Amino acid sequence: MAEAATTRRSRITPEREAELYEAVLDLLREVGYDALTMDAVATRTRSSKATLYRQWGSKPELIARALRHSKPASLADIDTGSLRGDLNEMVARSDDCQMERDAALMRGLFHAVHDNPELHRALRDLLIEPELTGLSDLLRRAVERGEVAADNPALDYVVHMMVGGFVARDLVEDRPVDRAFLASYIDAVILPALGV
Amino acid sequence: MAEAATTRRSRITPEREAELYEAVLDLLREVGYDALTMDAVATRTRSSKATLYRQWGSKPELIARALRHSKPASLADIDTGSLRGDLNEMVARSDDCQMERDAALMRGLFHAVHDNPELHRALRDLLIEPELTGLSDLLRRAVERGEVAADNPALDYVVHMMVGGFVARDLVEDRPVDRAFLASYIDAVILPALGV
């Protein structure tokens, strides 16, 4: 199966493939999953629908591939020496524009992932897991330094708090999430919940 | 305009109208905003599309009406004497099934509300504002009782924390939100962030 897929895709250049995935993600942010049609992808990328179906088989497969092609954020090398420093460095890594783009991607997929395990997995690998892994490293070091008690129950919910900050501002305040907001959310919510 | 709309809608009985709105919200939970077509509404409710367009004008108008017809949760009469008691009573008011239905509604609308202010307003009035108002009453009393410092910065973010608990479990853990989860989230995150 994997080999067949590689053979199919090898008909276009890697540059063309990257360009096409970027266009798919742009469309996804603009119109959301359901309204994203293969027709729209064909028009935007000046491809034929036949080519798209031949190369990717189906819309969910194409979108999952595009998500997987996007580079996940790396938090692995953040180590400032304090939990507050690490969390703030994490926020400082994305500019406001990238943050709004990630939030748009999440919004566009929120419903679709519920019914589509393959897409859910791809979104999780791209946006959720790197954050989970990066966060658990930061948190482990904070526990080792004695900043956070090893049995603090909020340790299990840091991602939930982050997702809340990430999506709720738009929903509740009708304003896009940005670095200044997340920095104050970290100080007001995440650090106090962890007892820091 | 409002009078004209009333005249238009008066052609169907209130019972039929309520039945139709319920069917629209069910469809919204099942397929999401974009995939919800007037054709699907017509089929599900055994109406003609002409009737739907004559009565409601457009899909966003019909969906906003259906949301507005749904009864928002009332938190106004919760007053157990402690913040922890009040928050737990709030959670206990919804059964797990209702919670998953509300979460499905949010998921179905997350993208659509971003581009549609009228829908955003309707979702906000139904699910967000009652919570904001109810919460701010609970929190005000907690401050008056001396449980929470009046200048605690987490007071501004309680809804964000709640939304995080509400949507992130599904996204991160692939499990629906339920009362047991929210009760432990309140104890691990919300109360400690508020210094309780």
Side-chain angles (χ1 to χ4, degrees):
Chain A
M1 279 294 280
E3 206 173 82
T6 310
T7 313
R8 272 195 287 149
R9 253 186 306 283
S10 68
R11 291 180 200 175
I12 61 173
T13 66
E15 293 72 25
R16 175 72 180 138
E17 194 176 351
E19 191 184 290
L20 201 138
Y21 290 147
E22 210 30 73
V24 168
L25 295 187
D26 282 342
L27 264 174
L28 192 56
R29 293 182 187 101
E30 290 165 28
V31 305
Y33 179 82
D34 286 317
L36 188 159
T37 60
M38 290 298 247
D39 275 317
V41 175
T43 305
R44 177 73 63 101
T45 61
R46 295 178 304 279
S47 323
S48 77
K49 256 170 72 176
T51 305
L52 296 178
Y53 280 110
R54 194 173 56 241
Q55 301 269 348
W56 287 278
S58 73
K59 171 176 135 177
E61 201 184 333
L62 170 59
I63 294 179
R65 283 265 156 201
L67 287 169
R68 290 188 181 285
H69 187 265
S70 196
K71 205 173 160 298
S74 169
L75 308 174
D77 57 333
I78 295 180
D79 189 3
T80 65
S82 78
L83 181 59
R84 183 169 190 272
D86 286 357
L87 292 175
N88 275 297
E89 175 64 21
M90 209 174 95
V91 169
R93 292 258 173 124
S94 296
D95 59 22
D96 291 346
C97 178
Q98 182 59 38
M99 247 176 226
E100 174 51 24
R101 283 163 58 87
D102 286 350
L105 212 53
M106 251 194 211
R107 279 196 302 272
L109 285 169
F110 247 115
H111 184 82
V113 297
H114 196 68
D115 300 316
N116 195 319
E118 171 57 20
L119 267 188
H120 197 164
R121 192 73 242 161
L123 182 70
R124 212 141 54 177
D125 290 352
L126 177 67
L127 291 178
I128 314 277
E129 294 288 346
E131 206 120 311
L132 282 177
T133 310
L135 269 175
S136 74
D137 289 346
L138 306 188
L139 295 170
R140 185 183 37 75
R141 287 199 307 268
V143 169
E144 284 165 6
R145 282 191 301 261
E147 284 188 90
V148 180
D151 62 351
N152 186 310
L155 283 167
D156 290 335
Y157 298 123
V158 176
V159 179
H160 301 75
M161 292 187 253
M162 294 290 280
V163 169
F166 206 69
V167 303
R169 193 181 203 207
D170 193 57
L171 204 63
V172 175
E173 300 174 47
D174 215 355
R175 298 170 64 182
V177 64
D178 57 30
R179 284 182 294 181
F181 170 82
L182 283 182
S184 72
Y185 185 75
I186 287 169
D187 280 338
V189 167
I190 299 182
L191 294 173
L194 290 167
V196 178
Chain B
M1 279 291 279
E3 208 173 79
T6 311
T7 312
R8 272 194 287 148
R9 253 184 309 279
S10 68
R11 291 179 200 175
I12 61 173
T13 65
E15 292 73 22
R16 175 72 181 135
E17 195 175 349
E19 190 184 291
L20 200 138
Y21 289 147
E22 210 32 70
V24 168
L25 295 187
D26 282 343
L27 264 174
L28 191 55
R29 291 183 189 101
E30 291 164 27
V31 303
Y33 179 82
D34 286 316
L36 188 157
T37 61
M38 290 300 246
D39 274 317
V41 175
T43 305
R44 176 74 63 101
T45 61
R46 296 178 304 279
S47 324
S48 77
K49 257 169 73 175
T51 305
L52 296 178
Y53 279 111
R54 194 172 57 242
Q55 300 268 348
W56 287 278
S58 71
K59 171 176 134 177
E61 202 183 333
L62 170 59
I63 294 179
R65 283 266 157 204
L67 287 170
R68 289 187 181 286
H69 187 264
S70 195
K71 205 172 160 300
S74 169
L75 309 173
D77 56 334
I78 294 180
D79 188 2
T80 64
S82 78
L83 181 58
R84 184 169 190 273
D86 285 357
L87 292 175
N88 276 297
E89 174 66 20
M90 211 174 95
V91 169
R93 290 262 172 121
S94 294
D95 58 24
D96 290 346
C97 177
Q98 181 60 39
M99 248 177 225
E100 174 50 23
R101 284 163 58 87
D102 286 349
L105 212 54
M106 252 194 210
R107 278 196 303 270
L109 286 168
F110 247 114
H111 185 82
V113 298
H114 196 69
D115 300 317
N116 195 319
E118 171 57 22
L119 267 188
H120 197 163
R121 192 72 244 159
L123 182 70
R124 209 138 59 176
D125 290 352
L126 177 67
L127 290 178
I128 314 277
E129 294 288 346
E131 205 121 309
L132 281 178
T133 310
L135 269 175
S136 75
D137 289 345
L138 305 188
L139 294 170
R140 186 183 38 73
R141 287 198 309 266
V143 169
E144 285 165 6
R145 281 190 301 261
E147 284 188 89
V148 180
D151 61 353
N152 186 310
L155 284 167
D156 290 334
Y157 297 122
V158 176
V159 178
H160 302 74
M161 291 187 255
M162 295 288 282
V163 169
F166 206 69
V167 302
R169 193 181 205 211
D170 194 55
L171 204 62
V172 177
E173 300 175 48
D174 215 355
R175 299 169 62 183
V177 63
D178 56 30
R179 284 182 296 183
F181 170 82
L182 282 183
S184 71
Y185 186 74
I186 288 170
D187 281 338
V189 168
I190 299 181
L191 294 173
L194 290 166
V196 178

